[in-house]
Amino acid sequence: MEVSYLHHIPFSSSIRSPSSISRVSHAFLQNPRNQNSPFSRIRRRNLCSACRSADTLVAGSPKEEGNSGPLVRNGEVEVADLKSWMHSQGLPPCKVVLKERPVHGHPPIHYVAASEDLEAGDVAFSVPNSLVVTLERVLGNETIAELLATNKLSELACLALYLMYEKKQGKNSFWYPYIRELDRQRGRGQLAVESPLLWSERELAYLTGSPTKAEVVERDEGIKREYNELDTVWFMAGSLFQQYPYDIPTEAFPFEIFKQAFVAVQSCVVHLQKVTLARRFALVPLGPPLLAYKSSCKAMLTAVDGSVQLVVDRPYKAGDSIVVWCGPQPNSRLLLNYGFVDEDNPYDRIVVEASLNTEDPQYQDKRMVAQRNGRLTVQVFHVYVGREKEAVSDMLPYLRLGYVTDPSEMQSVISSQGPVCPVSPCMERAVLDQLSDYFKGRLSGYPTSLSEDDALLADGNLAPKRRVAVQLLKLEKKMLNACLQATVELISQLPDLTISPCPAPYAPLLK
């Protein structure tokens, strides 16, 4: 399960059917790009409210965010506390409470804490499916939901579009309390940091040296492609098309607003197991980021008998923050999706990509040998934290294959069983030197050293975005240094350090 940031999903006075849910989905940021569109006059009356809320996924009303008790509006009681409101909509008694932690420059962030002492195996809460948002529920049709999810559009894009339509309804929206909670959270991680997808160019420079910087650009391009396909959702989802024939998504919502919505959903969606495709991505009240992430935790939100529940994996004292597992994700993914880095993450890793040289006259033979041993012509090696020496050893047979130049040796490799190539001290030195130079080259791409990183992190005034970036870079550099050290140790074990490396005109490529 991938836990993503998802706060309380507030629900209104009655649980609506899929068709009625679609009925409340009115364009929430009507800001048409084409003022000459035949639909522009119909939408123009909503432009002012759209502009006011164009700064975040669901720009809220700060004056209301601190309220914790019921509000009286026009003689009706509006429950401001999300948990109390959820109870009024069918949430059964649970063993958690909502608390606040301060955030500099922003409204406080909510989090879920134990309301009483808990033991491992206790059910902390159980949210009924009627209070869970899934693609099937949004689109009102499981077949369409699965079709969209397996083709051009991701579940995240569809859910983001739905929340954008919902936003326009304001307090009339079925999901208003949940959207207001998203306002408060603003897609920030545990350190009050947004995903790098929302960072400025200057802030992205904090990631210089890390492959994550390129991943941000690639993900941003992917979001743009999804934005260009939004109208597909609108036309295929009959409920949305019939109820809002004039609210064409790409005319109603600018790309930047969609990206903010996408990132917010990305940070709070839960990946459920053992459910249909149309229900696997869910927005679950009381889920992350109200629940913190801990890499050593094994508790997950699970679909059980018409609800999504959390069974804790450890004892808690009353008032303790409840934590969950986010899946075996490296820190680069945690930062990109959720805006934080876990320094004790046992699933952290870096990637080394090796490929056979296509100009090698023996490329096809080497390709066959590689495939026979479960490798590809472009092979990705995962280097996990604490297992760097093992990862280096795993790369060596593949790299040695690239260094074979004598046709007779190649025939010997083809006829052999297993990945072992004829290895001479000369060839081994050449392979290890290439690896050593590769790790040194990657380390030189970072603007700071490990000692400088430590000095930066010791600064209590370091900006949150800079802090998580430095944490990520430091952890990557530690893994690269461990790989380099393992390689140097192997070089030192060669019988003669004075051996000149063998020529390798078609050495494998590393990146």
Side-chain angles (χ1 to χ4, degrees), residues 246-323:
Y246 305 115
D247 297 330
I248 298 175
T250 55
E251 292 190 7
F253 311 122
F255 169 70
E256 287 303 318
I257 296 302
F258 171 72
K259 184 169 79 168
Q260 291 165 0
F262 186 98
V263 171
V265 169
Q266 170 184 270
S267 72
C268 57
V269 73
V270 174
H271 189 183
L272 299 175
Q273 303 294 323
K274 299 179 181 179
V275 296
T276 64
L277 287 176
R279 295 180 54 218
R280 65 179 176 177
F281 283 87
L283 305 181
V284 183
L286 299 180
L290 293 175
L291 296 171
Y293 168 80
K294 192 172 181 65
S295 60
S296 62
C297 179
K298 292 301 179 184
M300 301 186 298
L301 290 170
T302 309
V304 179
D305 298 330
S307 66
V308 176
Q309 69 177 25
L310 176 66
V311 177
V312 297
D313 70 333
R314 63 193 62 200
Y316 289 92
K317 294 293 185 183
D320 288 350
S321 175
I322 303 292
V323 296

Coordinates of all heavy atoms in Angstrom, one line a residue, residues 246-323:
Y246 N -21.2 22.7 -20.1 CA -20.4 23.9 -20.5 C -19.1 24.0 -19.8 O -18.3 24.8 -20.1 CB -21.2 25.2 -20.2 CG -22.6 25.1 -20.9 CD1 -23.7 25.2 -20.1 CD2 -22.7 25.1 -22.3 CE1 -25.0 25.1 -20.7 CE2 -24.0 25.1 -22.9 CZ -25.1 25.1 -22.1 OH -26.3 25.0 -22.7
D247 N -18.8 23.0 -18.8 CA -17.6 23.1 -18.0 C -16.5 22.3 -18.6 O -16.1 21.3 -17.9 CB -17.9 22.8 -16.6 CG -18.9 23.7 -16.0 OD1 -18.9 24.9 -16.4 OD2 -19.7 23.3 -15.1
I248 N -16.0 22.5 -19.8 CA -15.0 21.8 -20.4 C -13.7 22.0 -19.5 O -13.3 23.1 -19.4 CB -14.7 22.2 -21.8 CG1 -16.0 21.9 -22.6 CG2 -13.5 21.4 -22.4 CD1 -15.9 22.4 -24.1
P249 N -13.1 20.9 -19.0 CA -12.0 21.1 -18.1 C -10.9 22.0 -18.5 O -10.4 22.8 -17.8 CB -11.5 19.6 -17.8 CG -12.7 18.8 -18.1 CD -13.4 19.5 -19.2
T250 N -10.3 21.7 -19.7 CA -9.2 22.5 -20.1 C -9.5 24.0 -20.4 O -8.6 24.8 -20.5 CB -8.5 21.9 -21.4 OG1 -9.5 21.8 -22.4 CG2 -7.9 20.5 -21.1
E251 N -10.8 24.3 -20.5 CA -11.1 25.7 -20.6 C -11.5 26.3 -19.2 O -11.3 27.5 -18.9 CB -12.3 25.9 -21.5 CG -12.0 25.6 -23.0 CD -13.2 26.0 -23.9 OE1 -14.1 26.6 -23.4 OE2 -13.1 25.7 -25.1
A252 N -11.9 25.4 -18.3 CA -12.3 25.9 -17.0 C -11.1 26.1 -16.1 O -11.2 26.9 -15.2 CB -13.3 24.9 -16.4
F253 N -10.1 25.2 -16.2 CA -9.0 25.2 -15.3 C -7.6 25.4 -15.9 O -7.3 24.6 -16.8 CB -9.0 23.9 -14.5 CG -10.3 23.4 -14.0 CD1 -10.9 22.2 -14.4 CD2 -11.0 24.2 -13.1 CE1 -12.1 21.8 -13.9 CE2 -12.2 23.9 -12.6 CZ -12.8 22.7 -13.0
P254 N -6.9 26.4 -15.6 CA -5.5 26.6 -16.1 C -4.6 25.5 -15.6 O -4.9 24.8 -14.6 CB -5.1 27.9 -15.5 CG -6.3 28.6 -15.0 CD -7.3 27.5 -14.7
F255 N -3.6 25.2 -16.4 CA -2.7 24.1 -16.0 C -2.1 24.2 -14.6 O -2.1 23.2 -13.9 CB -1.6 24.0 -17.1 CG -0.5 23.0 -16.6 CD1 -0.7 21.7 -16.6 CD2 0.8 23.5 -16.2 CE1 0.2 20.8 -16.2 CE2 1.7 22.6 -15.8 CZ 1.5 21.2 -15.8
E256 N -1.7 25.4 -14.2 CA -1.1 25.5 -12.9 C -2.0 25.1 -11.8 O -1.6 24.5 -10.8 CB -0.5 26.9 -12.7 CG 0.7 27.2 -13.5 CD 1.9 26.3 -13.2 OE1 2.1 25.9 -12.1 OE2 2.5 25.8 -14.2
I257 N -3.3 25.4 -12.0 CA -4.3 25.0 -10.9 C -4.4 23.5 -10.9 O -4.5 22.9 -9.9 CB -5.6 25.7 -11.2 CG1 -5.4 27.2 -11.1 CG2 -6.7 25.2 -10.2 CD1 -4.9 27.7 -9.7
F258 N -4.5 22.9 -12.1 CA -4.6 21.5 -12.2 C -3.4 20.8 -11.5 O -3.5 19.8 -10.8 CB -4.7 21.0 -13.6 CG -4.6 19.5 -13.7 CD1 -5.6 18.7 -13.3 CD2 -3.5 18.9 -14.3 CE1 -5.5 17.3 -13.4 CE2 -3.4 17.6 -14.4 CZ -4.4 16.7 -14.0
K259 N -2.2 21.4 -11.8 CA -1.0 20.8 -11.2 C -1.0 20.8 -9.7 O -0.7 19.9 -9.0 CB 0.3 21.4 -11.7 CG 1.6 20.8 -11.2 CD 2.8 21.3 -11.9 CE 3.2 22.6 -11.4 NZ 4.6 23.0 -11.9
Q260 N -1.5 22.0 -9.1 CA -1.6 22.1 -7.7 C -2.6 21.0 -7.1 O -2.3 20.4 -6.1 CB -2.0 23.5 -7.3 CG -1.0 24.5 -7.6 CD -1.5 26.0 -7.6 OE1 -2.7 26.2 -7.4 NE2 -0.7 26.9 -7.8
A261 N -3.7 20.9 -7.9 CA -4.7 19.9 -7.4 C -4.1 18.5 -7.5 O -4.3 17.6 -6.6 CB -5.9 20.0 -8.3
F262 N -3.4 18.2 -8.6 CA -2.8 16.9 -8.8 C -1.8 16.6 -7.7 O -1.8 15.5 -7.1 CB -2.0 16.8 -10.1 CG -1.5 15.5 -10.5 CD1 -2.2 14.7 -11.4 CD2 -0.3 15.1 -10.0 CE1 -1.7 13.4 -11.7 CE2 0.3 13.8 -10.4 CZ -0.5 13.0 -11.2
V263 N -0.9 17.5 -7.3 CA 0.1 17.3 -6.3 C -0.6 17.1 -4.9 O -0.2 16.3 -4.1 CB 1.0 18.5 -6.2 CG1 2.0 18.4 -5.0 CG2 1.9 18.5 -7.5
A264 N -1.7 17.9 -4.7 CA -2.4 17.7 -3.4 C -3.0 16.3 -3.3 O -2.9 15.7 -2.2 CB -3.4 18.8 -3.3
V265 N -3.6 15.8 -4.4 CA -4.2 14.5 -4.3 C -3.1 13.5 -4.2 O -3.2 12.5 -3.5 CB -5.0 14.3 -5.6 CG1 -5.4 12.8 -5.7 CG2 -6.3 15.1 -5.6
Q266 N -2.0 13.7 -5.0 CA -0.8 12.7 -4.9 C -0.3 12.6 -3.5 O 0.1 11.5 -3.1 CB 0.3 13.3 -5.8 CG 1.6 12.6 -5.7 CD 2.6 13.3 -6.5 OE1 2.8 12.9 -7.7 NE2 3.3 14.3 -6.0
S267 N -0.4 13.7 -2.7 CA 0.1 13.6 -1.3 C -0.9 13.1 -0.3 O -0.5 13.0 0.8 CB 0.5 15.1 -0.9 OG -0.7 15.9 -0.7
C268 N -2.1 12.8 -0.7 CA -3.0 12.3 0.2 C -3.9 11.1 -0.3 O -5.0 10.9 0.3 CB -3.9 13.5 0.7 SG -4.8 14.3 -0.6
V269 N -3.4 10.4 -1.2 CA -4.2 9.3 -1.7 C -3.7 8.0 -1.1 O -2.5 7.9 -0.8 CB -4.2 9.2 -3.3 CG1 -2.8 8.7 -3.8 CG2 -5.3 8.3 -3.8
V270 N -4.5 7.0 -0.9 CA -4.2 5.8 -0.3 C -4.3 4.7 -1.3 O -5.4 4.6 -2.0 CB -5.0 5.5 0.9 CG1 -4.8 4.1 1.5 CG2 -4.8 6.5 2.0
H271 N -3.3 3.8 -1.5 CA -3.4 2.7 -2.4 C -3.9 1.5 -1.7 O -3.1 0.9 -0.9 CB -2.0 2.5 -3.0 CG -2.0 1.5 -4.2 ND1 -0.8 1.2 -4.8 CD2 -3.0 0.9 -4.8 CE1 -1.1 0.3 -5.8 NE2 -2.4 0.1 -5.8
L272 N -5.1 1.1 -1.9 CA -5.7 0.0 -1.2 C -5.4 -1.3 -2.0 O -5.3 -1.3 -3.2 CB -7.2 0.1 -1.1 CG -7.7 1.3 -0.3 CD1 -9.2 1.4 -0.3 CD2 -7.2 1.2 1.2
Q273 N -5.3 -2.4 -1.2 CA -5.0 -3.7 -1.8 C -6.2 -4.6 -1.9 O -7.2 -4.4 -1.1 CB -3.9 -4.4 -1.0 CG -2.6 -3.7 -0.9 CD -1.9 -3.5 -2.2 OE1 -1.9 -4.4 -3.0 NE2 -1.2 -2.3 -2.4
K274 N -6.3 -5.6 -2.8 CA -7.3 -6.5 -2.9 C -8.7 -5.9 -3.1 O -9.7 -6.3 -2.5 CB -7.4 -7.4 -1.6 CG -6.1 -8.2 -1.4 CD -6.1 -9.0 -0.1 CE -4.8 -9.8 0.1 NZ -4.8 -10.6 1.3
V275 N -8.7 -4.9 -3.9 CA -10.0 -4.2 -4.4 C -9.9 -4.1 -5.9 O -8.9 -4.3 -6.5 CB -10.2 -2.8 -3.7 CG1 -10.3 -3.0 -2.2 CG2 -9.0 -1.9 -4.0
T276 N -11.0 -3.7 -6.5 CA -11.1 -3.5 -7.9 C -10.2 -2.3 -8.3 O -9.9 -1.5 -7.5 CB -12.5 -3.3 -8.4 OG1 -13.0 -2.1 -7.8 CG2 -13.4 -4.5 -8.0
L277 N -9.9 -2.3 -9.6 CA -9.1 -1.2 -10.1 C -9.7 0.2 -9.9 O -9.1 1.2 -9.6 CB -8.8 -1.3 -11.6 CG -7.8 -2.4 -12.1 CD1 -7.8 -2.5 -13.6 CD2 -6.5 -2.2 -11.5
A278 N -11.1 0.2 -9.9 CA -11.8 1.4 -9.8 C -11.8 1.9 -8.3 O -12.2 3.1 -8.1 CB -13.2 1.3 -10.3
R279 N -11.4 1.1 -7.4 CA -11.4 1.5 -6.0 C -10.0 1.5 -5.4 O -9.8 1.8 -4.2 CB -12.3 0.5 -5.2 CG -13.7 0.6 -5.6 CD -14.5 -0.4 -4.7 NE -14.3 -0.2 -3.3 CZ -14.2 -1.2 -2.4 NH1 -14.3 -2.5 -2.8 NH2 -14.0 -0.9 -1.1
R280 N -9.0 1.1 -6.1 CA -7.6 0.9 -5.5 C -7.0 2.2 -5.0 O -6.3 2.2 -4.1 CB -6.7 0.3 -6.5 CG -6.4 1.1 -7.7 CD -5.4 0.3 -8.6 NE -5.1 1.1 -9.8 CZ -4.3 0.7 -10.8 NH1 -3.6 -0.4 -10.6 NH2 -4.1 1.4 -11.9
F281 N -7.3 3.4 -5.7 CA -6.8 4.7 -5.2 C -8.0 5.3 -4.5 O -9.0 5.6 -5.1 CB -6.3 5.5 -6.3 CG -4.9 5.1 -6.8 CD1 -4.8 4.1 -7.7 CD2 -3.8 5.7 -6.2 CE1 -3.5 3.7 -8.2 CE2 -2.5 5.3 -6.6 CZ -2.4 4.3 -7.6
A282 N -7.8 5.7 -3.2 CA -8.9 6.2 -2.4 C -8.4 7.4 -1.6 O -7.3 7.5 -1.1 CB -9.4 5.1 -1.5
L283 N -9.3 8.3 -1.4 CA -9.1 9.4 -0.5 C -9.9 9.0 0.8 O -11.1 8.9 0.8 CB -9.7 10.7 -1.1 CG -9.1 11.1 -2.4 CD1 -9.7 12.4 -2.9 CD2 -7.6 11.2 -2.4
V284 N -9.1 8.8 1.9 CA -9.7 8.3 3.1 C -9.6 9.2 4.3 O -8.5 9.7 4.6 CB -9.0 7.0 3.5 CG1 -9.6 6.3 4.7 CG2 -9.0 6.0 2.3
P285 N -10.7 9.6 4.9 CA -10.6 10.5 6.0 C -9.8 9.9 7.1 O -9.8 8.7 7.3 CB -12.1 10.6 6.5 CG -12.9 10.3 5.3 CD -12.1 9.3 4.5
L286 N -9.0 10.7 7.9 CA -8.1 10.3 8.9 C -6.9 9.6 8.4 O -6.0 9.2 9.2 CB -8.8 9.3 9.9 CG -10.1 9.9 10.7 CD1 -10.6 8.8 11.6 CD2 -9.7 11.2 11.4
G287 N -6.7 9.5 7.1 CA -5.5 9.0 6.5 C -4.4 10.0 6.5 O -4.5 11.1 7.0
P288 N -3.3 9.7 5.8 CA -2.2 10.6 5.7 C -2.7 11.9 5.0 O -3.6 11.9 4.2 CB -1.2 9.9 4.8 CG -1.6 8.5 5.0 CD -3.0 8.4 5.1
P289 N -2.1 13.1 5.3 CA -0.9 13.3 6.2 C -1.3 13.4 7.7 O -0.4 13.7 8.5 CB -0.3 14.5 5.7 CG -1.5 15.3 5.2 CD -2.5 14.3 4.6
L290 N -2.6 13.3 8.0 CA -2.9 13.3 9.4 C -2.2 12.1 10.1 O -1.8 12.2 11.3 CB -4.4 13.1 9.6 CG -5.3 14.2 9.1 CD1 -6.8 13.9 9.2 CD2 -5.0 15.5 9.9
L291 N -2.0 11.0 9.4 CA -1.2 10.0 9.9 C 0.3 10.2 9.4 O 0.5 10.4 8.2 CB -1.7 8.6 9.4 CG -3.1 8.2 9.9 CD1 -3.5 7.0 9.1 CD2 -3.1 7.9 11.4
A292 N 1.2 10.1 10.3 CA 2.6 10.3 9.9 C 3.2 9.1 9.3 O 2.6 8.0 9.5 CB 3.4 10.8 11.1
Y293 N 4.3 9.2 8.6 CA 4.9 8.1 8.0 C 6.2 7.7 8.8 O 6.9 8.5 9.3 CB 5.4 8.4 6.6 CG 6.3 7.3 6.0 CD1 5.9 6.1 5.5 CD2 7.7 7.6 6.0 CE1 6.7 5.2 5.0 CE2 8.6 6.6 5.5 CZ 8.1 5.4 5.0 OH 8.9 4.5 4.6
K294 N 6.3 6.4 9.0 CA 7.5 5.9 9.7 C 8.0 4.6 9.0 O 7.2 3.7 8.8 CB 7.2 5.6 11.2 CG 8.5 5.3 12.0 CD 8.1 5.2 13.5 CE 9.4 5.0 14.3 NZ 10.3 6.1 14.3
S295 N 9.2 4.6 8.6 CA 9.7 3.4 7.7 C 9.7 2.1 8.5 O 9.6 1.1 7.8 CB 11.1 3.7 7.2 OG 12.0 3.9 8.3
S296 N 9.8 2.1 9.8 CA 9.9 0.9 10.6 C 8.5 0.4 10.9 O 8.3 -0.7 11.5 CB 10.7 1.1 11.8 OG 10.1 2.1 12.7
C297 N 7.5 1.2 10.5 CA 6.1 0.8 10.8 C 5.5 -0.1 9.8 O 5.9 0.0 8.6 CB 5.2 2.1 10.9 SG 3.5 1.8 11.3
K298 N 4.7 -1.0 10.2 CA 4.1 -1.9 9.2 C 2.5 -1.8 9.1 O 1.9 -2.5 8.4 CB 4.4 -3.4 9.6 CG 5.9 -3.7 9.4 CD 6.3 -3.5 7.9 CE 7.8 -3.8 7.7 NZ 8.3 -3.5 6.3
A299 N 2.0 -0.9 9.9 CA 0.5 -0.7 9.9 C 0.1 0.0 8.6 O 0.8 1.0 8.2 CB 0.1 0.2 11.1
M300 N -0.9 -0.5 8.0 CA -1.4 0.1 6.7 C -2.9 0.2 6.8 O -3.6 -0.5 7.5 CB -1.1 -0.8 5.5 CG 0.4 -1.1 5.4 SD 0.7 -2.0 3.8 CE -0.1 -3.6 4.2
L301 N -3.4 1.2 6.0 CA -4.9 1.3 5.8 C -5.3 0.2 4.9 O -4.7 0.0 3.9 CB -5.2 2.7 5.2 CG -5.0 3.9 6.1 CD1 -5.2 5.2 5.4 CD2 -6.0 3.8 7.3
T302 N -6.3 -0.5 5.4 CA -6.8 -1.8 4.7 C -8.3 -1.8 4.4 O -9.0 -1.4 5.3 CB -6.4 -3.0 5.5 OG1 -5.0 -2.9 5.9 CG2 -6.6 -4.3 4.8
A303 N -8.6 -2.2 3.2 CA -10.1 -2.4 2.9 C -10.6 -3.7 3.6 O -10.1 -4.8 3.3 CB -10.3 -2.4 1.4
V304 N -11.6 -3.5 4.5 CA -12.1 -4.6 5.2 C -13.7 -4.5 5.3 O -14.1 -3.5 6.0 CB -11.5 -4.8 6.6 CG1 -12.1 -6.0 7.3 CG2 -10.0 -5.0 6.5
D305 N -14.4 -5.4 4.8 CA -15.9 -5.5 5.0 C -16.6 -4.1 4.9 O -17.2 -3.6 5.9 CB -16.1 -6.1 6.4 CG -15.6 -7.5 6.5 OD1 -15.6 -8.2 5.4 OD2 -15.2 -7.9 7.6
G306 N -16.5 -3.5 3.8 CA -17.2 -2.2 3.6 C -16.7 -1.0 4.3 O -17.3 0.0 4.4
S307 N -15.4 -1.1 4.6 CA -14.8 0.1 5.3 C -13.3 0.0 5.0 O -12.7 -0.9 4.5 CB -15.0 0.0 6.8 OG -14.4 -1.1 7.4
V308 N -12.6 1.1 5.4 CA -11.1 1.2 5.4 C -10.7 1.4 6.8 O -11.1 2.4 7.4 CB -10.6 2.3 4.5 CG1 -9.1 2.4 4.6 CG2 -11.1 2.1 3.0
Q309 N -9.9 0.5 7.3 CA -9.5 0.6 8.8 C -8.0 0.5 9.0 O -7.3 0.1 8.1 CB -10.2 -0.6 9.6 CG -9.6 -2.0 9.3 CD -10.2 -3.0 10.1 OE1 -11.4 -2.9 10.6 NE2 -9.5 -4.1 10.3
L310 N -7.6 1.0 10.2 CA -6.2 1.0 10.5 C -6.1 0.1 11.8 O -6.7 0.5 12.8 CB -5.7 2.4 10.8 CG -4.3 2.5 11.3 CD1 -3.3 2.0 10.2 CD2 -3.9 3.9 11.7
V311 N -5.3 -0.9 11.7 CA -4.9 -1.7 12.9 C -3.5 -1.3 13.2 O -2.6 -1.5 12.4 CB -5.0 -3.2 12.6 CG1 -4.6 -4.0 13.7 CG2 -6.5 -3.6 12.2
V312 N -3.2 -0.9 14.4 CA -1.9 -0.4 14.8 C -1.0 -1.6 15.0 O -1.4 -2.7 15.4 CB -2.0 0.5 16.0 CG1 -2.8 1.8 15.8 CG2 -2.5 -0.3 17.2
D313 N 0.3 -1.4 14.8 CA 1.3 -2.4 14.9 C 2.2 -2.3 16.1 O 3.1 -3.0 16.3 CB 2.2 -2.5 13.6 CG 3.1 -1.2 13.6 OD1 2.7 -0.2 14.1 OD2 4.2 -1.3 12.9
R314 N 1.8 -1.3 17.0 CA 2.7 -1.1 18.2 C 1.8 -0.4 19.2 O 0.7 0.1 18.9 CB 3.8 -0.2 17.8 CG 3.4 1.2 17.3 CD 4.5 2.0 16.6 NE 4.9 1.3 15.5 CZ 6.1 1.5 14.9 NH1 7.0 2.4 15.4 NH2 6.5 0.8 13.8
P315 N 2.3 -0.4 20.5 CA 1.5 0.2 21.5 C 1.7 1.7 21.4 O 2.7 2.3 21.0 CB 2.1 -0.3 22.8 CG 3.5 -0.7 22.4 CD 3.4 -1.2 21.0
Y316 N 0.6 2.4 21.8 CA 0.6 3.9 21.9 C 0.1 4.3 23.3 O -0.8 3.7 23.8 CB -0.3 4.5 20.8 CG 0.2 4.4 19.4 CD1 -0.1 3.3 18.6 CD2 1.1 5.3 18.9 CE1 0.3 3.2 17.3 CE2 1.5 5.2 17.6 CZ 1.2 4.1 16.8 OH 1.6 4.0 15.5
K317 N 0.6 5.4 23.7 CA 0.0 6.1 24.9 C -0.9 7.1 24.4 O -0.8 7.7 23.3 CB 1.1 6.8 25.7 CG 2.1 5.8 26.4 CD 1.5 5.0 27.5 CE 2.5 4.1 28.2 NZ 1.8 3.2 29.2
A318 N -1.9 7.4 25.2 CA -2.9 8.5 24.9 C -2.2 9.8 24.5 O -1.3 10.2 25.3 CB -3.9 8.7 26.0
G319 N -2.5 10.3 23.4 CA -1.8 11.6 22.9 C -0.7 11.4 21.9 O -0.3 12.3 21.3
D320 N -0.2 10.1 21.8 CA 0.8 9.8 20.8 C 0.3 10.0 19.4 O -0.8 9.5 19.1 CB 1.4 8.4 21.0 CG 2.2 8.3 22.3 OD1 2.5 9.3 22.9 OD2 2.6 7.1 22.7
S321 N 1.2 10.5 18.5 CA 0.9 10.6 17.1 C 0.9 9.2 16.5 O 1.8 8.4 16.8 CB 1.9 11.5 16.4 OG 1.7 11.5 15.0
I322 N -0.2 8.9 15.7 CA -0.3 7.6 15.1 C 0.5 7.6 13.8 O 0.4 8.5 13.0 CB -1.8 7.2 14.8 CG1 -2.6 7.3 16.0 CG2 -1.9 5.9 14.1 CD1 -2.3 6.2 17.0
V323 N 1.2 6.5 13.5 CA 2.1 6.4 12.3 C 1.6 5.2 11.5 O 1.1 4.3 12.0 CB 3.6 6.3 12.7 CG1 4.1 7.5 13.4 CG2 3.8 5.0 13.5

